[in-house]
Amino acid sequence: MVENRPWMTVLTHMVLVLGIALVAFPIWVAFVASTHTLQTLLNPPTPLLPGGEFFENYYRALTEGAKAVGAPVWSMMVNSLVMALGISLGKIVISLMAAFAIVYFRFRGRIFFFWLIFITLMLPVEVRILPTYKVVSDLGMLDTYPGLIIPLIASATATFLFRQFFMTVPDELVEAARVDGAGPLRFFKDILFPMSRTSIAALFVILFIYGWNQYLWPLLITTDESMYTMLIGINRMLAAGDSQAEWQVIMATTMLAMLPPVAVVVLMQKMFVRGMTETEK
Amino acid sequence: MEKRVVFQSRILPYLLLAPQIVVTLVFFIWPASQAVFQSVLQEDAFGLSTTFVGLENFEVLFTDSHYLSSFYVTVFFSTSVAVVAIACGLFLAVQADRVIHGATAYKTLLIWPYAVAPAVAGVLFLFLFNPNLGLFVFALRSLGYNWNHALNGEQAMSLVIVAAAWRQISYNFLFFLAGLQSIPKSLIEAAAIDGAQPVRRFWTIIFPMLTPTTFFLLIMNMVYAFFDTFAIIHQVTMGGPGGATNIMVYKVYRDGFVGLDLGGSAAQSVVLMIIVIGFTVIQFRYVERKVHY
């Protein structure tokens, strides 16, 4: 800041703290709600301080789930984790391979394949849901992990990120590797892959969050309760039908569903910011 | 830019490309072309007979008052989300840029909502504004204002806008903070010496230098509001009441999976594809070149 006015600085800090408080408020209310009995929540106003049911509610959510859904939250957590890891790792592997081929080889149809991959940037799953659903159902992949993962791993952002990164790798490295008699796979394994590690880590953070937060696709293709991801589980708990939605369990599940991606962002902040600015470009 | 030195191999590059190409063809190109193909067909709900109808599905679409209103709803919704989220993000970034001590701490405390899924954001706001037990509803009632977003279209719309924008504030904050920190301090000092007050300095120097970032964020927020807010709509309002929050992506899902109108849903998909292509072109032509971090 240019001027030195102490009261301005204090004011700025106050505004920031207020902003953070406002942003965090919904989460706080959800946390508080997850520590009370349903009876307390049904009599507004909702309390603003935690109650004594923390362990009961979370234990119940993890082992049984809400009455409206027959699956316990721990199994949904496993499904979400498999999906998030499958999407992030799968995407990274196929993108590394494709980018390596496009940058380091001259072959027939290279430009054609490049554009074929490029087009996928313009086709988010939301705009082609019905036919994609049909393909997956024809392949018998409804209610399976491959069905949850594979249709979402081909998008081109990761391929382009790696392509861009490989372009900046000096040609001398390839030359040196070739003089030393290293083949392409050797060069990839010993030189290119180690050099890409930070990019891979940054991308992993972003893709993990992307995979964990998927909603529309699992909503369409999972009908079996044992295949629900956490977010779908929450949706089914809300749609309790005639009975009262069990808000204390729903809120506990919501907190649990939020925890992994938020923890990843807070713990790997640097990687996260890098991944975000790189992939969105 | 091309590599001077490359490897020679006949089959290896194809093997390396194979997984991505197979997945792209099976799950992207094939379904997308199916959508285009279906958009010119008329199929009955049981899939027993199909007839070629040309552009009739599109004609029906653009004369259908439900579709047109869904279009306006989408434009209003995404513009509002973008404006609210950008304004809040910019305001907080300017404050954080001002403080010398603790900018990193504020950054950490502000960026995590981005990791919260839109579906979760929907549930949080659904709970806060639940007509029977919501905290805000109780507060509003005690002020004499009656809230029920299940009946009132405007309330439903403001609720989904707030829920969608809430999560996006941190995203915009991060990009604005990076933009602000790259503005040379000497420029601002020079203006201060010339006697320009903080507000004036912001509008005449800082904000113009942030226009590329703002434009980039506008596009990104619009894309987010168009496609990633499906979960919020689905959790909070289901497109209602009376179609007041029925955004286009949600309508495709509703007409296709619930209404089983395959031709109409496919035609809507094609319209959405054209919109995405438009966004992508804008992003590459204007944003790519002009935004610097």
Side-chain angles (χ1 to χ4, degrees), chain A residues 13 23 128 169 178 215 269, chain B residues 3 6 27 106 108 166 234:
Chain A
H13 281 283
V23 168
R128 54 189 165 83
V169 173
R178 286 184 59 174
Y215 183 80
Q269 204 192 130
Chain B
K3 286 273 174 198
V6 292
F27 297 104
Y106 286 125
T108 311
W166 171 76
H234 190 249

Side-chain angles (χ1 to χ4, degrees), chain A residues 126-142:
Chain A
E126 285 81 1
V127 309
R128 54 189 165 83
I129 38 176
L130 262 174
T132 315
Y133 175 84
K134 192 163 181 307
V135 169
V136 171
S137 110
D138 288 347
L139 292 172
M141 300 205 308
L142 298 179

Side-chain angles (χ1 to χ4, degrees), chain A residues 3 12-13 23 104 106 108 110 120 127-128 154 159 166-167 169 171 178 213 215 235 269 276 280, chain B residues 1-3 6-7 14 20 23-24 27 30-31 95 106 108 114-115 117 166 174 201 220 234-235 269:
Chain A
E3 295 97 337
T12 310
H13 281 283
V23 168
Y104 283 98
R106 295 283 164 280
R108 274 169 87 79
R110 196 174 70 105
T120 62
V127 309
R128 54 189 165 83
T159 313
F166 290 166
M167 291 294 212
V169 173
D171 282 350
R178 286 184 59 174
N213 289 350
Y215 183 80
N235 175 261
Q269 204 192 130
M276 186 149 105
E280 299 289 7
Chain B
M1 199 174 87
E2 298 269 310
K3 286 273 174 198
V6 292
F7 290 105
Y14 295 104
Q20 174 133 33
V23 178
T24 304
F27 297 104
W30 171 250
Q95 309 301 320
Y106 286 125
T108 311
Y114 181 72
W166 171 76
L174 206 59
R201 285 204 300 269
M220 297 315 290
H234 190 249
Q235 300 276 44
S269 289

Side-chain angles (χ1 to χ4, degrees), chain B residues 38 41-53 260 262-263:
Chain B
Q38 246 165 21
L41 294 179
Q42 186 79 56
E43 193 171 352
D44 67 88
F46 304 101
L48 296 174
S49 65
T50 38
T51 33
F52 177 80
V53 292
L260 291 177
L262 300 182

